[in-house]
Amino acid sequence: METQPLESTSDAQFGTPTDAEGYDIDADSFGETDETSLAAFMAEQTCLGFIYHDRREYEAAVEAFYRVDRHQFAHLTDEEAYEAAKALTDAFWAKDDVEQGYIDGSEVDPALDDADWSPVEEALIRRAGIVGMDEEYAPKTTEAWRNHKTGGDYWTPTMAAQRYEIAAAIGSYRQKPKYGRSGYGHLTTRYLTGLELHDMHTERHWKEAAEVMKTYYGEILSAQEADR
């Protein structure tokens, strides 16, 4: 797969429930690119990935997540970043398949908790292997997604999983310099906040999610730049 420029996203492409600002960034000149603008683009594409998943637009979701992963995991080739994004999208689609038959509108059958979630975990293990992150990312993410639907604690496994993803992105998990190291850290909580805002499904909350995720990706890009 050839490297493609990061395309500006039109209002129509981002679509309801929110519009989007466009970001015209040349991936080939990333070193000369404003880091904040690239982080904003990655945040926008993350939100797009979730929106496309909600709309059941598979290829569009893969492309959106790919545009994030090719910068989030700078050590990957374009082909590897695409496969990582595809594995994540496959996990979302597997999650939907598992949930079929257990969800009726807003009603969730408690039996969903005991359903076979292994296809979800297998796709996430594939993603972990491509990216080079701890495989514990897979069961933790699966646990978070399951609990999100069944009413359990999804916050803790979400943040635990993100620590593995952050470590893969910047080489190690960034700890606090002094106190509070038993917590999951500010980056994981920003990611979790983005997910919480996504659940609201309003224009205002989508925009807020993109703002929160911009700071998340901004720090990841900053850490990568410091290692160059």
Side-chain angles (χ1 to χ4, degrees), residues 75-127:
H75 60 285
L76 299 183
T77 65
D78 280 357
E79 290 79 6
E80 290 168 338
Y82 185 86
E83 289 303 315
K86 189 173 183 294
L88 178 61
T89 309
D90 287 345
F92 276 119
W93 257 251
K95 176 183 77 71
D96 294 344
D97 289 342
V98 172
E99 292 170 354
Q100 281 187 357
Y102 293 95
I103 299 178
D104 182 13
S106 62
E107 298 296 321
V108 179
D109 187 337
L112 176 60
D113 202 39
D114 298 319
D116 180 13
W117 287 79
S118 61
V120 179
E121 188 168 329
E122 288 167 4
L124 293 169
I125 287 174
R126 177 156 50 94
R127 174 173 171 80

Side-chain angles (χ1 to χ4, degrees), residues 178-193:
K178 197 171 184 181
Y179 301 114
R181 292 185 178 182
S182 60
Y184 287 97
H186 65 290
L187 283 180
T188 60
T189 56
R190 285 175 184 169
Y191 187 89
L192 179 61
T193 299

Side-chain angles (χ1 to χ4, degrees), residues 13-100:
Q13 182 183 358
F14 201 83
T16 305
T18 185
D19 58 353
E21 297 174 5
Y23 301 97
D24 186 11
I25 303 170
D26 183 355
D28 295 327
S29 61
F30 169 51
E32 302 172 3
T33 297
D34 176 28
E35 191 175 277
T36 301
S37 295
L38 181 55
F41 178 87
M42 293 168 71
E44 176 194 78
Q45 294 300 311
T46 297
C47 290
L48 274 171
F50 285 121
I51 289 173
Y52 288 137
H53 165 243
D54 291 342
R55 294 179 181 174
R56 305 295 295 166
E57 297 181 34
Y58 178 84
E59 292 297 337
V62 172
E63 286 297 323
F65 290 133
Y66 160 66
R67 289 170 182 149
V68 177
D69 282 348
R70 64 199 292 253
H71 295 291
Q72 178 175 212
F73 304 114
H75 60 285
L76 299 183
T77 65
D78 280 357
E79 290 79 6
E80 290 168 338
Y82 185 86
E83 289 303 315
K86 189 173 183 294
L88 178 61
T89 309
D90 287 345
F92 276 119
W93 257 251
K95 176 183 77 71
D96 294 344
D97 289 342
V98 172
E99 292 170 354
Q100 281 187 357

Side-chain angles (χ1 to χ4, degrees), residues 88 91-92 95 117 120-121 124-125 127 133-148 154 156-165 191 195:
L88 178 61
F92 276 119
K95 176 183 77 71
W117 287 79
V120 179
E121 188 168 329
L124 293 169
I125 287 174
R127 174 173 171 80
M133 71 177 107
D134 193 310
E135 281 195 359
E136 188 64 16
Y137 159 85
K140 286 298 182 184
T141 301
T142 304
E143 179 186 354
W145 290 0
R146 183 182 68 241
N147 290 353
H148 183 262
Y154 62 88
T156 303
T158 293
M159 291 189 290
Q162 284 311 115
R163 292 187 77 168
Y164 297 121
E165 187 157 289
Y191 187 89
L195 293 182

